[in-house]
Amino acid sequence: MRKIKLVEVRSEIAAGTRGASLGIDALKIASLDKKSNFFTKFDPINVPDANNYLWKGNKHPHAKYIDGVYQVLKNVYSTVESLRLEKKFPIVLAGDHSTAAGTIMGIKAANPDKRLGVIWIDAHADLHTPYTTPSGNMHGMPLAMCIHTDNLDCQVNEPEELTIQYWEKIKNIGGEYPKINPEDIVFISVRDTEEPEDHLISKYGIRNFTTEEVRQKGVANIAQQALDVLKDCDQIYISFDVDSMDSSISVGTGTPVPNGLTVEEAIQLNAELIKDKRVCCWEIVEVNPTLDTENLMAENAFEVLEATTSSLVDNF
């Protein structure tokens, strides 16, 4: 069995609504309600967050709390790098999705010569930069950080000098180079994008398997096709944002979007993908119980977490 290590990241400063820092504990409550022993099987590592920056006020309108985000990403990066150097398999439970950049940076730093592919299961492309963002919320920027783009072709904002300095520092965590090739990103169920993101998706030919395709071709078929796109990658990281699920069931997340996956599709998809021997890390993000009733999102998300982990254990 692979040496699984749970990594808990309670950061929420990059989200637009408050409460994602409570998502991990909501997952634990869901496990208790299911009478599951999941959280007794694996010793967790708790990565320090920078949520105290929320009390200081935001000084960066085009990259909110970027000074705090930089701190958290460095913390996640160093934790994941250490685990990968120890040949551990991180299962990351995170708040807002910005911290996925730290995860990717850590995986790459541990094995810089290995080509890293990313399967991004999400309603959003998360390819914005401080120059293009309509909201300034940095949970919409992690993939742009990792491919080292500013996307100046689509610039609409004029970030302040200090914001730009932090942005450059973030992109260079773990080395002054892109951590992934844009062509090595695969989207599944992405359906809420803005024009600057569409520009990058088109420019680099990033494949997006829509919810409709998942339904038409079947989950197993899509999982295989996604892995085939990354056939030249040595390692694969899977990031599962719970808003990839339909807004009828994903109320308890910051940015729900209609026409998403069902819980059953999400379970089958992640359980299928994680069987690939190249997968080296899996992550679940953006559960926000403050937006929910009766912890429903966390209960659905916990089902995905438990089933995916079981599939990982059963196939090694």
Side-chain angles (χ1 to χ4, degrees):
M1 186 179 113
R2 283 198 173 181
K3 293 180 285 186
I4 294 170
K5 196 74 177 175
L6 283 188
V7 179
E8 300 181 355
V9 190
R10 288 176 169 79
S11 177
E12 64 166 75
I13 55 173
T17 52
R18 305 281 60 87
S21 61
L22 305 172
I24 294 166
D25 294 315
L27 287 168
K28 292 182 177 180
I29 290 166
S31 78
L32 288 172
D33 289 345
K34 276 195 72 180
K35 297 182 170 53
S36 167
N37 66 346
F38 180 88
F39 285 100
T40 65
K41 293 179 188 175
F42 312 104
D43 291 327
I45 293 179
N46 186 40
V47 178
D49 61 59
N51 293 333
N52 60 311
Y53 277 75
L54 292 167
W55 304 104
K56 299 179 181 181
N58 171 49
K59 304 176 184 67
H60 303 272
H62 301 303
K64 294 174 183 173
Y65 305 105
I66 191 171
D67 40 0
V69 171
Y70 172 60
Q71 296 296 331
V72 178
L73 293 186
K74 282 204 303 182
N75 294 343
V76 174
Y77 148 75
S78 59
T79 301
V80 171
E81 181 191 22
S82 298
L83 290 174
R84 290 301 299 147
L85 287 171
E86 296 166 9
K87 301 291 188 282
K88 299 271 178 50
F89 188 105
I91 290 183
V92 185
L93 315 180
D96 77 70
H97 212 169
S98 71
T99 62
T103 306
I104 291 169
M105 292 160 180
I107 295 169
K108 186 65 176 177
N111 294 103
D113 298 328
K114 290 188 175 180
R115 185 168 167 182
L116 177 60
V118 173
I119 297 179
W120 200 258
I121 309 169
D122 197 327
H124 307 92
D126 294 342
L127 280 167
H128 273 297
T129 76
Y131 300 95
T132 68
T133 175
S135 69
N137 297 326
M138 294 196 72
H139 67 168
M141 304 186 191
L143 286 177
M145 298 169 186
C146 293
I147 65 171
H148 250 230
T149 186
D150 297 329
N151 197 11
L152 297 179
D153 291 346
C154 301
Q155 181 173 358
V156 291
N157 304 322
E158 294 285 348
E160 295 174 6
E161 186 57 38
L162 186 58
T163 304
I164 294 170
Q165 289 174 15
Y166 271 113
W167 178 247
E168 292 303 316
K169 284 163 68 173
I170 282 174
K171 287 189 296 181
N172 291 328
I173 293 172
E176 296 182 13
Y177 53 84
K179 310 310 182 289
I180 48 175
N181 303 323
E183 297 87 352
D184 293 336
I185 299 169
V186 176
F187 290 135
I188 300 179
S189 206
V190 167
R191 57 198 185 278
D192 185 12
T193 58
E194 280 86 32
E195 190 278 327
E197 295 176 302
D198 294 336
H199 169 76
L200 292 176
I201 292 168
S202 174
K203 178 180 178 179
Y204 294 112
I206 299 173
R207 183 71 164 93
N208 178 30
F209 294 97
T210 64
T211 307
E212 290 78 14
E213 282 184 272
V214 174
R215 303 261 156 83
Q216 288 166 7
K217 298 176 181 175
V219 173
N221 187 321
I222 293 299
Q224 189 55 56
Q225 285 191 48
L227 294 166
D228 288 346
V229 172
L230 304 178
K231 66 182 184 302
D232 295 326
C233 294
D234 307 302
Q235 300 188 113
I236 294 173
Y237 152 75
I238 301 169
S239 194
F240 175 69
D241 187 323
V242 298
D243 72 19
S244 62
M245 294 189 286
D246 190 74
S247 54
S248 63
I249 48 176
S250 66
V251 177
T253 189
T255 46
V257 182
N259 195 29
L261 303 170
T262 64
V263 178
E264 293 74 22
E265 287 165 342
I267 288 171
Q268 190 185 348
L269 178 63
N270 283 284
E272 199 66 36
L273 289 168
I274 209 165
K275 292 176 185 177
D276 192 293
K277 302 291 190 287
R278 295 171 297 161
V279 178
C280 62
C281 178
W282 185 84
E283 186 162 35
I284 185 168
V285 302
E286 296 276 2
V287 174
N288 186 340
T290 67
L291 303 173
D292 211 353
T293 52
E294 299 181 355
N295 210 30
L296 182 61
M297 180 77 259
E299 291 191 357
N300 289 329
F302 178 71
E303 283 192 42
V304 179
L305 169 63
E306 190 170 44
T308 304
T309 307
S310 295
S311 180
L312 175 65
V313 170
D314 292 345
N315 285 280
F316 284 93

